[in-house]
Every structure is written in structure tokens, then in C-alpha cells.
Amino acid sequence: MSLYFQQSAELDWLLTDRKTQASTQPISDSSLSSIRTIGTNEWAPPRPQIIYNLLPPTTRKAILMRCGYRCAGCGMKISPALANIFRYCAYLGKYFCHSCHHEQLALIPSRVLHKWDFRKQRVSNFAFDLLEKMLLEPLYCITDINNNLYKSVTQMKYARALRFQLYFLNEYIKKCRNGMELLEDHALNSRPHIIGDPQLYSLQDLMDVKHGTLLNDMKMLVTRWLRHVDNCGLCKGKGFICELCKREDVIYPFLLDRTVQCQMCWACYHKSCWTGTCPKCARIRSRKTMSQSNEKTSEDAP
């Protein structure tokens, strides 16, 4: 039997944090009778949340004192002398009673994202079900959370290069009438974000990167799409000629080891030729200046 978790927008939460209460309008008894509420004035249940930062170090006593020695899941209160019977949830960083914490094991996203640690930790029933629901969702932007992961983990560095290749190749394949079947038939169809946004990962994606399965799937797809572009006249016609060296070889932005792309006009150049000055941007600026000058001249004319 699958569990259904209500969206936070469906519920009115009674928060216990003093600072939150100070900035929140009080709810009258008459309004409480007509809306759905969960919790009491002393306790509120956990809410679905994405936690991607490591939990700060603290102690059992400090956590339980903060919540009034109540179970974070059901609100059951115990004597401080019995605090050791509560179980710690490694995802939420709170303590739960035995009924709300069956010591199920799960990957902790923050430990994967910051430490590349895939050891499973004990979590509460609520957190276990929540993590299961989020497993396939592309919720984690690596550049925003921990960009150093690309430097410290070789597999992630390789995955990043493959994903950027797929991202640029996709722009060619999806606009080519000869390449539609390539978009419809590949191993990554169930993960459109892999091609659509090079920085987004789900927890399952990170697991598959570590085990090598996702890297193999992406490598096979890159090889297949590169073969198409090499043999397709339509795709070749959308390539670039390096304006800096004027060589006749056609280059593409997905040749990451050989080319660089201007971030203003998206023109493509050899890495060995690139000096930081884009000839196409210079022409655009020159034409714009000339156009503005002509407009001013025509306005000044009698």
C-alpha cells in the first residue's frame, strides 16, 4: 500500500518556533473549525522538504530540548530520563519514537552531494517514504550546491563533459528531419533532464554515475549522435568555421576538447585560436553603432 503525503499548500501548519510565531498572524478559534490543521500549539509534524546541506553537529540533548522532548513524528512527549529510547533520523536531524522510526536505511542526499558518501543511514518512516518519492526527481543543481564535486570526483567530471556534449548535440539532432528517430529511441528517454539541463541530477542519477551505468549510457548516445552529425549534410551545414584562423574544417560546440563558444553570440572557435575577443561580436557592435549614428544624422537633418 503506497502512502500519500499531502502537499504543504493543502495544510495549515501550527508552528512552534517563537520567532516564527512572532511574525505570523494568530489563527482564531472560529477559523480553526473550518480548516484542516495538523499539530498543536506545542508540536508540529515534519513537512516534506529537500535538504541538501550537511546537518550541523549537535547533541541528542540539544535536539530534544529544542523540541520539548517530543517525538518529531507524532508529538509523543517523554521524560528526559527516557531520552535514549528515541531514534535519530539522519535526514531530518530529529528524534522519533519507535512507532515513527523503524530504522529503515536510506541514502542521505547531503552526504552524497558534499562527501560523495553512499553509505545508507537510519531514517524515520516519514523521511524514508519522502526520499523514495524524490529518488528519481532531478532536484539537485550541482553548480549551486557543491561545484567542487566536479573537481574532487573523476566520475562527475566525466559525467559533466558527456552531459554538455549531449546538450549541444541535442540542439542539432532535434532540428534535423533525419534525426527524429534518434531522439525517440535511446536509453535516456526516461530521464529528459540528462539532455535538457547539464547541471541537474536526481539521487538515482548520482548513484548510477558512481556505478558507471549512466556514464556508459551517455557515452553510447554521444557516439551515436556524433556519427549522425558527421554523416548528415543538414547538421554539417549548421557547423562553424573559425573566423580567427580561417581554416576550412567545420567545428561544433560539442567538441569540448577542441572548441570554445562565445557566450554572447554563440559563435564557435578553436580553443588554440581563442584570445577572448570575438570578431562576430565586434561586427555586431560596429553595425549597431553605425545604425545609431545614421539615425541621429537623419533626426538632425532639416
Side-chain angles (χ1 to χ4, degrees):
M1 178 181 177
S2 60
L3 297 177
Y4 168 70
F5 289 98
Q6 294 168 311
Q7 299 295 320
S8 58
E10 299 177 39
L11 302 171
D12 286 272
W13 302 90
L14 296 178
L15 307 179
T16 59
D17 185 83
R18 292 183 180 179
K19 292 182 180 179
T20 306
Q21 287 182 346
S23 61
T24 304
Q25 293 295 325
I27 302 175
S28 64
D29 293 337
S30 59
S31 61
L32 283 175
S33 62
S34 60
I35 60 176
R36 302 168 67 190
T37 60
I38 291 181
T40 68
N41 289 327
E42 297 180 352
W43 165 82
R47 290 174 286 178
Q49 53 189 306
I50 303 168
I51 301 174
Y52 50 79
N53 288 324
L54 291 169
L55 296 172
T58 185
T59 63
R60 175 189 293 261
K61 182 178 180 180
I63 295 173
L64 288 173
M65 285 182 65
R66 192 161 57 244
C67 65
Y69 287 90
R70 292 182 179 274
C71 167
C74 65
M76 180 185 71
K77 189 170 185 177
I78 60 169
S79 166
L82 300 175
N84 287 335
I85 69 171
F86 272 12
R87 294 170 175 172
Y88 182 69
C89 173
Y91 180 68
L92 296 173
K94 296 182 179 180
Y95 283 90
F96 293 76
C97 68
H98 286 209
S99 297
C100 298
H101 194 316
H102 293 165
E103 296 194 309
Q104 298 175 97
L105 298 174
L107 289 177
I108 308 301
S110 60
R111 298 189 65 84
V112 174
L113 293 164
H114 291 278
K115 295 187 174 183
W116 203 240
D117 181 1
F118 287 84
R119 289 175 295 181
K120 292 186 176 183
Q121 308 289 325
R122 291 182 175 87
V123 296
S124 64
N125 302 348
F126 176 86
F128 182 83
D129 290 321
L130 180 61
L131 289 168
E132 283 289 306
K133 290 175 65 176
M134 297 193 306
L135 184 64
L136 302 178
E137 297 296 325
L139 302 172
Y140 311 104
C141 180
I142 302 301
T143 51
D144 290 339
I145 298 172
N146 181 20
N147 197 42
N148 288 328
L149 203 62
Y150 291 128
K151 300 176 183 178
S152 59
V153 180
T154 303
Q155 295 158 306
M156 286 298 294
K157 182 179 180 180
Y158 188 29
R160 184 187 192 186
L162 289 171
R163 289 192 64 174
F164 269 102
Q165 279 191 289
L166 288 172
Y167 175 77
F168 288 123
L169 278 165
N170 183 53
E171 294 300 312
Y172 284 77
I173 301 297
K174 72 181 183 181
K175 296 175 183 176
C176 177
R177 63 173 178 265
N178 300 325
M180 296 307 296
E181 63 180 21
L182 296 176
L183 292 174
E184 298 170 357
D185 180 26
H186 61 78
L188 300 175
N189 262 337
S190 60
R191 310 189 211 194
H193 61 279
I194 293 293
I195 297 169
D197 190 330
Q199 305 294 356
L200 285 182
Y201 286 82
S202 68
L203 195 56
Q204 184 66 55
D205 294 334
L206 295 170
M207 291 169 58
D208 292 342
V209 167
K210 177 177 174 60
H211 297 144
T213 54
L214 182 56
L215 295 177
N216 290 335
D217 288 343
M218 290 194 292
K219 186 176 180 179
M220 290 175 61
L221 189 57
V222 166
T223 301
R224 187 180 180 190
W225 283 7
L226 280 174
R227 189 183 305 118
H228 167 83
V229 173
D230 287 339
N231 298 315
C232 177
L234 294 175
C235 291
K236 277 189 175 181
K238 297 174 184 175
F240 295 83
I241 298 295
C242 178
E243 292 187 50
L244 296 173
C245 67
K246 302 286 195 296
R247 280 186 283 178
E248 295 184 358
D249 60 315
V250 181
I251 56 177
Y252 306 92
F254 51 76
L255 302 176
L256 303 180
D257 58 333
R258 294 164 44 195
T259 64
V260 62
Q261 194 171 36
C262 173
Q263 297 303 301
M264 298 298 294
C265 67
W266 309 113
C268 200
Y269 304 93
H270 291 112
K271 270 189 178 180
S272 56
C273 301
W274 179 247
T275 60
T277 302
C278 175
K280 184 176 178 181
C281 286
R283 289 197 305 273
I284 293 173
R285 287 194 299 268
S286 178
R287 285 198 296 265
K288 186 176 181 180
T289 302
M290 186 178 297
S291 175
Q292 290 173 345
S293 177
N294 291 338
E295 288 177 4
K296 186 176 181 180
T297 302
S298 62
E299 289 175 358
D300 294 340

